[in-house]
């Protein structure tokens, strides 16, 4: 039986909560009195969006979109495709793309081009995590970002590994499974 993966807390939930509140204050100031339309990128951004939306002191509407990048071994290949489109038009709206993690930047680049073509009033982006060292699209910058993190695979607070760990309250680093199977299992967060 393969050893279970082990997790180490990288950003505890209290720090995430403080940062989400600070970002929401910033956005609320920037859009003072104007409604914003949040577009959550499924599935990773669902928990971040839910927390962020409830901290905004603005009129908020919400929609979701799903995209995937082709590629072997889970790595972004540069070809992003639309899996699930929005439910309604964004023409004339103050749109904010809500993403879990900015890695190569190719997904956000694709989303920006796709959504700009639909003539929103404005288009901004907010990402919880930024792996800046991994950027392949150097012109892609989030307007608001939570935490810059190192080039490590992370899970929790919406982020998954093979569909697991999205529900964790903290952002955790996924460590390679230890060869000492018994000890590794005892350190595993369910
Ligand atoms: P990008 O196009 O390379 O910026 O890819 C961004 C997408 O890759 C994110 O929306 C995530 O779905 C996924 N991703 C990148 N890094 C991680 C990670 O550490 N954990 C989980 N998903 C990740
Ligand atoms: Mg994502």
């Amino acid at each position: 039986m393969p050893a279970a993966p082990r997790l180490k807390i990288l950003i505890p939930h209290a720090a995430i909560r403080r940062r989400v509140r600070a970002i929401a204050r910033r956005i609320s100031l920037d859009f003072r009195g104007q409604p914003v339309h949040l577009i959550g990128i499924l599935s990773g951004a669902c928990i971040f969006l839910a927390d962020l939306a409830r901290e905004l002191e603005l009129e908020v509407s919400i929609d979701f979109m799903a995209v995937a990048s082709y590629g072997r071994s889970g790595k972004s290949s540069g070809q992003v495709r639309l899996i699930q489109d929005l439910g309604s038009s964004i023409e004339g709206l103050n749109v904010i793309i809500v993403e879990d993690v900015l890695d190569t930047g190719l997904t956000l680049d694709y989303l920006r081009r796709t959504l700009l073509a639909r003539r929103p009033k404005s288009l901004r982006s907010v990402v919880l995590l930024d792996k800046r060292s991994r950027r392949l699209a150097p012109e892609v910058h989030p307007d608001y970002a939570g935490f810059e993190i190192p080039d490590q695979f992370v899970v929790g607070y919406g982020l998954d590994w093979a569909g697991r760990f999205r529900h964790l309250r903290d952002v955790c680093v996924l460590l390679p499974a230890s060869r000492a199977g018994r000890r590794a299992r005892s350190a595993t967060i369910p």
Side-chain angles (χ1 to χ4, degrees), residues 41-42 44 67 69 74 76 80 99-108 129 131 134-135 149 152-155 159-161:
I41 308 308
L42 294 171
V67 292
S69 29
S76 201
V80 182
E99 248 292 45
D100 49 5
V101 49
L102 192 55
D103 187 22
T104 62
L106 298 169
T107 303
L108 187 58
L129 307 172
K131 293 185 188 174
R134 295 254 311 151
R135 203 76 89 250
I149 60 166
Q152 284 179 306
F153 197 83
V154 290
V155 296
L159 291 140
D160 76 310
W161 173 70

Side-chain angles (χ1 to χ4, degrees), residues 44-184:
C46 62
I47 291 175
F48 176 39
L49 184 143
D51 285 348
L52 180 70
R54 286 176 292 178
E55 295 292 340
L56 289 172
E57 291 167 18
L58 299 168
E59 191 184 318
V60 173
S61 52
I62 296 174
D63 205 344
F64 291 97
M65 204 171 183
V67 292
S69 29
Y70 291 103
R72 289 176 221 123
S73 68
K75 296 268 182 222
S76 201
S77 70
Q79 285 182 39
V80 182
R81 82 197 144 103
L82 193 57
I83 302 286
Q84 184 186 310
D85 207 345
L86 298 172
S88 60
S89 165
I90 57 166
E91 191 170 345
L93 303 181
N94 291 311
V95 170
I96 304 179
I97 300 168
V98 184
E99 248 292 45
D100 49 5
V101 49
L102 192 55
D103 187 22
T104 62
L106 298 169
T107 303
L108 187 58
D109 185 44
Y110 168 87
L111 289 168
R112 282 194 57 81
R113 283 185 282 109
T114 303
L115 297 179
L116 274 175
R118 300 181 186 186
R119 304 196 300 175
K121 179 178 178 192
S122 64
L123 181 62
R124 293 195 184 187
S125 58
V126 55
V127 303
L128 180 72
L129 307 172
D130 186 358
K131 293 185 188 174
R132 201 176 292 177
S133 63
R134 295 254 311 151
R135 203 76 89 250
L136 289 180
E139 68 287 357
V140 174
H141 300 289
D143 296 286
Y144 310 94
F147 302 90
E148 190 172 336
I149 60 166
D151 179 15
Q152 284 179 306
F153 197 83
V154 290
V155 296
Y157 198 71
L159 291 140
D160 76 310
W161 173 70
R164 296 175 64 190
F165 308 125
R166 285 196 201 279
H167 63 294
L168 301 180
R169 287 150 60 88
D170 313 300
V171 170
C172 301
V173 176
L174 195 62
L175 301 171
S178 159
R179 266 172 290 163
R182 184 180 284 273
R183 228 178 310 142

